[in-house]
Amino acid sequence: MSSTEKNEQDSTPQPRRRLSREDRQRQLLDVAWQMVREEGTDALTLGRLAELAGVTKPVVYDHFTTRSGLLAALYQDFDARQTAIMDAALLTCEPTLDSTAGIIASSYVACVLTQGNEISGVIAALASSPELEKIKREYEAIFLNKCQLVLQPFAGANTIKPASLRAMLGASEALSNAAATGEISAGQAQEELFETIRAMIERTARGN
């Protein structure tokens, strides 16, 4: 074979590999996160996503159906990442309050920082409709139940109150978002959240 024939053969376009449904959804979510990061949540439409992902609109509609469905999928993706980080860390932590509170604090802040400012926009959009707010609440409940499960052994005979867990979640969101915008450092956010969690459990153990 001559070098010319070989070069012509090498330059022949190769058929594009067809992605599995799971891989395609991962690709679409990655592009959607990039869109939110670069253009803001308001720019996030299924048509625009299809354009940037290089697929037809029916492909995107098949995965998410509506813009609300896409926003919900982004939040679920964020939650899954946050859960995986925390679960992996909890498996190796010491069975002490300080270690457990430290893992929760560092995992929460780290996940928000990994996702950057775009998660704030998604959360704000989730709060814009009852349907999306319900999804957010459901995932918050899962996170709070997990925290209660791992922290309850350090609270003695007293049960951690739902109001206390909600206060912890509020602090988690506020501190993480402040770190994401550069208002405070990641270390400061983690330390303050750690102190908040530890104080909550110590107060519960005292019966206050």
Side-chain angles (χ1 to χ4, degrees), residues 69-102:
L70 173 57
L71 287 166
L74 286 172
Y75 187 81
Q76 290 166 341
D77 186 49
F78 168 76
D79 183 83
R81 187 178 298 113
Q82 186 180 60
T83 298
I85 290 174
M86 192 168 82
D87 284 352
L90 286 171
L91 285 175
T92 61
C93 80
E94 298 178 2
T96 64
L97 173 57
D98 281 3
S99 182
T100 304

Side-chain angles (χ1 to χ4, degrees), residues 138-155:
E138 288 173 351
Y139 278 90
E140 285 177 350
I142 293 171
F143 171 73
L144 292 178
N145 287 338
K146 183 186 296 292
C147 289
Q148 183 174 30
L149 181 66
V150 299
L151 290 170
Q152 186 59 54
F154 311 111

Side-chain angles (χ1 to χ4, degrees), residues 144-200:
L144 292 178
N145 287 338
K146 183 186 296 292
C147 289
Q148 183 174 30
L149 181 66
V150 299
L151 290 170
Q152 186 59 54
F154 311 111
N158 301 309
T159 301
I160 304 172
K161 298 175 182 177
S164 298
L165 290 167
R166 275 288 165 189
M168 180 197 70
L169 178 60
S172 301
E173 292 181 344
L175 290 166
S176 298
N177 290 336
T181 60
E183 183 180 345
I184 61 177
S185 70
Q188 289 172 325
Q190 291 174 7
E191 179 63 25
E192 189 62 32
L193 183 52
F194 165 76
E195 294 293 348
T196 298
I197 296 170
R198 185 169 65 176
M200 172 187 72

